[in-house]
Amino acid sequence: MTDKVLGIIGHPVSHSLSPAMHNHAARILGLGYSYVAFDVGPGSPKPALDAMRALGIVGVNVTVPHKEAAARLVDKLEGDAARVGAVNTITNVNGALVGSNTDGIGFVRALKREKIDPAGKKTVVVGAGGSSRSICLALLREGAFLTIVNRTPEAGRNLARILSPFGKASFSPSSSRQAAEAAAGADIIVQTTPLGMRKSDPLPLADPRFHKGQVVYDIIYSPERTKLLKLADKHGARTINGLSMLVFQGSESFKIWTGRRFPEEKALSFLKRKLKGG
Ligand code: ATR
């Protein structure tokens, strides 16, 4: 059987568990797909998108730093990708590249799996990049009260503006007193920046005052516990890493590409075993 190719484009991608997860799922379902990590460094991802067409690659996930650039380069945007201008899933439909975004739904499904309902909850989202965009949109849609915290005020305000047709989001710069207060008073804190992937990274929130009753979700899953999650743990907050979001956003992408239901719980246990070195 000829393998149909799926993949992920981004940088860095060597740590990504998406190839292992999707290949595992394809094997379980007996589908002839191979999922490959393509390291596409900073600069335009256009050559990678052209290669998708030239090589007949069926679909790719898009990760840091290309989610917003990809939204400008695809032939068509649909759903949340069109609403927020960020793409995490590209599908090659007879040579036309269609951009979608499954991060938001993947994130909300990850919360709900933990029996956490964001409706009416004070929620702080740290970061205003490609991942943050669709997570924020999904949170507004679920009825959360949203504060965006970001290092660069312009990017944070711009995101609040993009989201304004869907609900109200306030913005505070990362280093401000307002950001620290919003985080201290939040029911849910979502960390969407790459800070925490490297040991030497500073905390993405200045002066965090975590406490019992809070949920802290870090979309990073490698390392399993970032500095931020360890600190939140220590102060009694409930902490969750990005593994469940990885599975649910991947599940939604897989359904778009293959039309098949993704074996979610099996994928989650597989990844947990893998992270434990099993
Ligand atoms: P993704 O597509 O995964 O969201 P991204 O689009 O590169 O990645 O977004 C990165 C986010 O992390 C942004 O909010 C960025 O903040 P800025 O708008 O200030 O650039 C944030 N980020 C990245 N590196 C950071 C750092 N060293 N300190 C603080 N924030 C950082």
Side-chain angles (χ1 to χ4, degrees), residues 63-65 67-68 127-132 150-152 155 192-195:
T63 187
V64 189
K67 290 183 181 187
E68 289 155 72
S131 311
S132 168
N150 196 50
R151 170 183 60 178
T152 309
T192 73
T193 78
L195 291 181

Side-chain angles (χ1 to χ4, degrees), residues 241-255:
N241 76 7
L243 204 63
S244 48
M245 174 178 165
L246 174 76
V247 169
F248 289 115
Q249 62 78 32
S251 166
E252 300 291 335
S253 300
F254 191 85
K255 197 157 66 189

Side-chain angles (χ1 to χ4, degrees), residues 152-272:
T152 309
E154 206 179 9
R157 289 201 190 96
N158 184 39
L159 177 53
R161 206 166 32 242
I162 289 170
L163 294 167
S164 61
F166 311 101
K168 191 179 169 325
S170 24
F171 166 73
S172 301
S174 303
S175 52
S176 67
R177 198 165 49 84
Q178 292 94 313
E181 277 166 11
D187 303 304
I188 304 172
I189 296 160
V190 188
Q191 196 306 106
T192 73
T193 78
L195 291 181
M197 291 175 86
R198 288 176 311 196
K199 266 213 173 93
S200 55
D201 284 340
L203 284 172
L205 259 176
D207 184 29
R209 282 166 277 153
F210 297 122
H211 52 81
K212 204 162 175 286
Q214 289 185 309
V215 172
V216 181
Y217 192 108
D218 196 325
I219 72 165
I220 294 172
Y221 57 83
S222 174
E224 269 186 278
R225 313 213 64 73
T226 56
K227 220 186 268 178
L228 189 80
L229 286 191
K230 284 183 186 159
L231 188 68
D233 246 344
K234 203 170 109 191
H235 289 90
R238 183 172 171 197
T239 57
I240 311 170
N241 76 7
L243 204 63
S244 48
M245 174 178 165
L246 174 76
V247 169
F248 289 115
Q249 62 78 32
S251 166
E252 300 291 335
S253 300
F254 191 85
K255 197 157 66 189
I256 295 172
W257 297 322
T258 68
R260 296 288 296 271
R261 259 178 83 136
F262 191 79
E264 292 167 347
E265 292 301 322
K266 281 184 184 155
L268 195 54
S269 341
F270 169 76
L271 292 180
K272 282 182 181 160

Side-chain angles (χ1 to χ4, degrees), residues 115-140:
K115 309 274 182 284
I116 299 161
D117 183 355
K121 301 284 182 353
K122 280 183 266 175
T123 305
V124 165
V125 174
V126 184
S131 311
S132 168
R133 287 181 176 217
S134 63
I135 288 175
C136 286
L137 173 60
L139 282 167
L140 282 179

